[in-house]
Amino acid sequence: MCTGPAGDVTRSFVVPNSETAGRTPLRRFLTTDDGVTIDAVYEPGGVVYDASAPPSDHLAFVVAHGFTGDVDRPHVRRVAEAFAQYGAVLTFSFRGHGASGGRSTVGDREVLDLAAAVRWARDLGHTRVATVGFSMGGSVVLRHAALYGPQRGGRTGAASDVVVSVSAPARWYYRGTAPMRRVHWLITRPEGRLVGRYGLRTRIHHRDWDPVPLSPVEAVPRIAPTPLLIVHGDRDGYFPVDHPRMLAAAAGDAGELWLEPGMGHAEHAAGDELLRRIGDWAVARAG
């Protein structure tokens, strides 16, 4: 796993000027530190704040989707629309997903994809960035915060100011539920990877992790002092509640846990009311 600073944004984009900032969506391919192209969409948002204000005054939400998602999936767009009420929103497709290049490493090198997206938000003028991840994306935002946080020197503008992890695993190789056994079949079997490619628009790398990346529970103690929120449903069919409790215990007083009654897994299960509470929390913690 490469833990160096994630990549540069392709220099084909034009930074919005004061006349267009707050109104014009942008879609660009970003380039990660290891040379993978990442499909990304920036939406200025602007309902609760003054759209004429400069981007530096606005919090930017960088949304990291779950496994087999992508920037154009309806559930990802719904999350983006909810957070647009609180600030600018940058969504992207992880490597191997949608129109992005490369192949999915299921949470390992995806940290480089998120770092490239955060850097784009910084390049667009945002001084405050919240990373919000779901399922696989939830594990990525935790590892990204540990590897690129202020204790690591902010890693060339790729650090986040607020971290929200929703429905994330605490540990790797979990197969304790039927949905996760199906996920492992997709990842580890040649026929599963064919289903992923042609049925789910997800191209999965055939190689095993070498070395095994830092796990989410190992990453969490390294995130402080960055504000951290862990959100999980008590009816999550993929990862039972021992996962969020393990993450919260590792965070100690530096993290906050919301165990949501009746909630299932990730973006599909995150209702509008929960997304509003996450938006309120991120705005309050980002300052």
Side-chain angles (χ1 to χ4, degrees), residues 16-33:
N17 60 30
S18 60
E19 295 180 356
T20 61
R23 294 195 298 273
T24 307
L26 300 173
R27 188 161 194 158
R28 297 290 183 267
F29 281 93
L30 317 180
T31 303
T32 67
D33 191 54

Side-chain angles (χ1 to χ4, degrees), residues 111-134:
V111 170
L112 301 174
D113 308 344
L114 178 58
V118 171
R119 180 173 292 146
W120 190 29
R122 301 287 190 193
D123 286 348
L124 288 166
H126 293 280
T127 58
R128 298 175 300 148
V129 175
T131 52
V132 185
F134 296 83

